């Protein structure tokens, strides 16, 4: 499992940018805050469960796309070594 972790303010900025670029009217600040709240309460607790195994990589994605891509590739390569 690969978890792309980013701060809420980073996610908000990226999703609002996507909304502007793609004309997505459903991506408002209120909707995004709700999605983040649902993730925090319903999904985030599962991360601790999966984090205990060797098949889990938490990737800091609070960086520029090229750096995040490199981190993903390194994380997947590390996971492949545990398969």
């Amino acid at each position: 499992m690969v978890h792309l972790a980013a701060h809420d303010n980073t996610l908000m900025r990226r999703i609002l940018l996507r909304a502007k670029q793609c004309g997505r009217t459903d991506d408002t600040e209120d909707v995004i805050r709700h999605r983040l709240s649902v993730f925090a309460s319903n999904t985030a607790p599962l991360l601790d469960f999966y984090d205990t195994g060797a098949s889990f990589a938490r990737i800091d994605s609070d960086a520029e796309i090229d750096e995040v891509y490199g981190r993903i590739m390194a994380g997947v390569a590390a996971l492949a070594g545990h398969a």
Side-chain angles (χ1 to χ4, degrees):
M1 176 178 173
V2 175
H3 171 61
L4 300 175
H7 291 98
D8 286 356
N9 60 343
T10 299
L11 296 172
M12 179 71 74
R13 180 178 44 82
R14 289 177 179 170
I15 295 169
L16 289 173
L17 178 62
R18 176 186 73 176
K20 182 178 178 183
Q21 291 174 338
C22 299
R24 291 191 53 148
T25 58
D26 61 324
D27 283 337
T28 65
E29 287 191 31
D30 288 339
V31 169
I32 296 165
R33 277 192 203 89
H34 176 71
R35 290 178 192 157
L36 293 171
S37 174
V38 169
F39 177 83
S41 62
N42 295 343
T43 306
L46 295 173
L47 296 174
D48 291 336
F49 172 78
Y50 285 105
D51 197 12
T52 61
S55 298
F56 182 87
R58 184 181 310 261
I59 309 297
D60 177 2
S61 60
D62 269 324
E64 295 300 319
I65 192 167
D66 291 338
E67 187 172 343
V68 174
Y69 177 77
R71 292 173 184 175
I72 293 168
M73 296 307 291
V76 170
L79 291 177
H82 289 112

